[in-house]
Amino acid sequence: MFKRSQKKKSSDKDQHQIRLFATDATLNLLSITQTNLSDLIHLEDDQFKKLVSYLTAKIDEIPVRLKLLEELKTTNKRERQLNETKKVVYSLRETDETSGTALSFLREKLDLLIEERKNLALKFLSFQEELKRPSTEPLQEQVQHFLSDIHFLETESWEDDLDYYRTRFLMQREQDEEDHKLKGGFIPDDDPVLDTELIDAFDTTKSSPRIMLYFSVSRKQHQNLKSLAKDYNIFMEKIPSKFTRDILELELTEIERNLAEQEKISFDTGKELYILKREQGILSLKTYEIIQTLRSRLLNISGSIASRKFMKDAFNELIEYLSDVNLSDDEKKAKLMQVVHRLLSEIKPS
């Protein structure tokens, strides 16, 4: 009895467990059904030989299979960068194309306003000199002649264009719906859900649960299998479950063919990305300078148009001083000179 007991203990001691990630191909290879996968599996000799052969082959192929995975990751990253770059470049191209019209329009209007300011400055100076000289003409008539000679440009018809350019270049508003339609041929439609799924597909921390098999093996089997199982499990942990078939279960010849195709896709995507990034750099500098010019012109135009209110208020002051019965003619002239001096200060080219 004692010897039998010792033999039983020795037999139990001879058993070891192997933990192994499994795929459908592994289950088919070992003829294991999907039921009771968590139970301890006792490997028959032929199953053991098949498993050793399968794992040995897969481990030998790990470098090329991981290379395919890296190419898939690289392509995914480049495609996301490419789509983002396309959006930026489209916006820069649109700014570059539409800015030509804006620059011409604003330059033309600014030139008109500059010329108007020059003419007004000459009239103010002329009136200032006239006030300094003795005159037989009544002061009221002098002022009326001066005011009747002041004519402002008609700028109300500019306002729609100016409002658009202010919004477009000063406030950097998003393009309207019509502009957005133009992006269709250049930028693919965004699908944030799909994009998120694609990103998550490469994140092994978000992979769905894998099949885990537990084998009961002899000491000899354990010695032959433990290193293979360890290397295979480490390899499996690197493969997102979404790509189990594409990376693990395809034949090596197909993996190599897919790798060559994926390398070409990755290269072509990277090449297109490089070209667009280069264009982005050039356009960024160009549009930055254009935007600064446009903003400067817009601010000058807006300032010039706004200053007219100040001038018109000043003209009203002239009329008020003329009608003030408490002031002598000399005092009125002094007041008028002050107003004209303020007008000349306001009219100085900016």
Side-chain angles (χ1 to χ4, degrees):
M1 292 291 292
F2 177 78
K3 287 184 178 180
R4 274 195 226 121
S5 176
Q6 285 291 93
K7 186 175 181 182
K8 185 177 180 183
K9 287 182 180 179
S10 175
S11 175
D12 289 342
K13 205 172 181 180
D14 195 46
Q15 293 299 307
H16 296 267
Q17 281 192 22
I18 291 287
R19 187 174 64 95
L20 187 74
F21 283 120
T23 64
D24 290 339
T26 317
L27 299 179
N28 292 334
L29 176 74
L30 302 176
S31 301
I32 297 173
T33 63
Q34 291 279 352
T35 58
N36 300 323
L37 290 177
S38 60
D39 292 347
L40 196 61
I41 300 169
H42 295 273
L43 282 177
E44 302 293 337
D45 286 342
D46 63 326
Q47 288 178 308
F48 173 75
K49 290 176 183 178
K50 286 179 182 179
L51 183 58
V52 169
S53 177
Y54 175 82
L55 294 179
T56 301
K58 289 298 180 187
I59 289 168
D60 288 342
E61 297 166 1
I62 282 177
V64 68
R65 292 180 185 273
L66 285 181
K67 191 172 182 182
L68 175 57
L69 178 64
E70 288 306 310
E71 284 300 329
L72 286 168
K73 288 181 178 179
T74 300
T75 302
N76 172 250
K77 180 180 178 181
R78 287 178 177 176
E79 285 175 346
R80 285 187 284 118
Q81 290 176 330
L82 181 61
N83 286 341
E84 289 302 314
T85 305
K86 280 183 174 183
K87 294 174 186 176
V88 175
V89 171
Y90 174 84
S91 180
L92 291 171
R93 284 181 184 176
E94 194 275 340
T95 298
D96 185 39
E97 290 170 4
T98 59
S99 61
T101 303
L103 285 169
S104 298
F105 174 85
L106 297 176
R107 178 72 267 175
E108 176 192 348
K109 303 311 179 190
L110 190 57
D111 286 345
L112 290 172
L113 289 169
I114 290 172
E115 188 63 28
E116 179 187 68
R117 290 169 78 90
K118 287 179 181 177
N119 292 334
L120 288 171
L122 288 173
K123 290 176 181 179
F124 295 164
L125 284 169
S126 177
F127 182 58
Q128 189 179 55
E129 292 301 316
E130 188 178 333
L131 288 174
K132 292 178 183 177
R133 295 192 301 266
S135 175
T136 57
E137 188 178 21
L139 189 58
Q140 188 167 358
E141 290 184 13
Q142 284 181 281
V143 173
Q144 287 175 343
H145 289 156
F146 165 66
L147 293 177
S148 64
D149 197 31
I150 301 296
H151 302 286
F152 290 110
L153 289 169
E154 189 282 305
T155 59
E156 288 185 7
S157 60
W158 306 357
E159 281 305 313
D160 286 345
D161 288 321
L162 287 174
D163 280 344
Y164 172 76
Y165 293 135
R166 287 188 194 105
T167 306
R168 177 67 180 85
F169 298 111
L170 289 181
M171 299 169 62
Q172 292 296 295
R173 184 189 61 181
E174 289 289 335
Q175 295 304 294
D176 60 26
E177 185 178 347
E178 198 60 36
D179 287 336
H180 186 74
K181 291 177 183 177
L182 298 175
K183 296 182 182 181
F186 184 63
I187 303 174
D189 291 336
D190 288 333
D191 190 337
V193 175
L194 289 178
D195 192 53
T196 302
E197 287 179 353
L198 196 54
I199 295 169
D200 289 348
F202 290 105
D203 186 352
T204 53
T205 64
K206 296 183 179 180
S207 298
S208 56
R210 292 187 180 280
I211 301 170
M212 181 66 76
L213 299 179
Y214 298 89
F215 298 110
S216 175
V217 296
S218 67
R219 178 181 295 179
K220 183 177 179 180
Q221 288 175 329
H222 183 259
Q223 288 175 345
N224 292 329
L225 198 56
K226 65 177 182 179
S227 178
L228 291 173
K230 179 183 177 182
D231 291 345
Y232 185 76
N233 285 340
I234 291 172
F235 169 52
M236 285 283 285
E237 287 175 344
K238 295 178 181 178
I239 309 299
S241 56
K242 189 179 180 87
F243 293 93
T244 296
R245 181 184 176 279
D246 294 334
I247 302 298
L248 291 174
E249 296 184 356
L250 292 180
E251 292 297 325
L252 184 60
T253 53
E254 194 168 356
I255 289 287
E256 290 172 340
R257 183 169 60 252
N258 290 350
L259 176 59
E261 292 175 357
Q262 198 61 45
E263 285 175 336
K264 183 179 185 309
I265 293 171
S266 180
F267 175 80
D268 291 343
T269 305
K271 183 178 177 182
E272 186 179 0
L273 177 61
Y274 171 79
I275 293 170
L276 281 178
K277 282 288 186 185
R278 187 171 179 275
E279 182 181 359
Q280 178 184 341
I282 295 170
L283 285 175
S284 293
L285 179 61
K286 182 179 178 182
T287 53
Y288 173 80
E289 293 171 348
I290 289 172
I291 292 292
Q292 299 313 305
T293 302
L294 287 167
R295 287 179 173 176
S296 175
R297 290 182 184 177
L298 278 166
L299 291 171
N300 284 334
I301 289 173
S302 297
S304 294
I305 293 175
S307 69
R308 293 169 175 203
K309 184 179 185 306
F310 167 83
M311 294 183 203
K312 290 173 182 177
D313 289 343
F315 297 157
N316 291 332
E317 273 190 79
L318 292 176
I319 296 171
E320 287 175 8
Y321 289 140
L322 283 175
S323 59
D324 192 339
V325 295
N326 296 318
L327 296 174
S328 66
D329 279 358
D330 288 340
E331 288 174 327
K332 288 179 180 179
K333 274 193 176 184
K335 293 288 186 182
L336 296 181
M337 290 287 284
Q338 290 176 2
V339 173
V340 175
H341 180 73
R342 288 210 318 271
L343 284 168
L344 284 168
S345 299
E346 174 68 20
I347 209 74
K348 282 181 182 177
S350 54

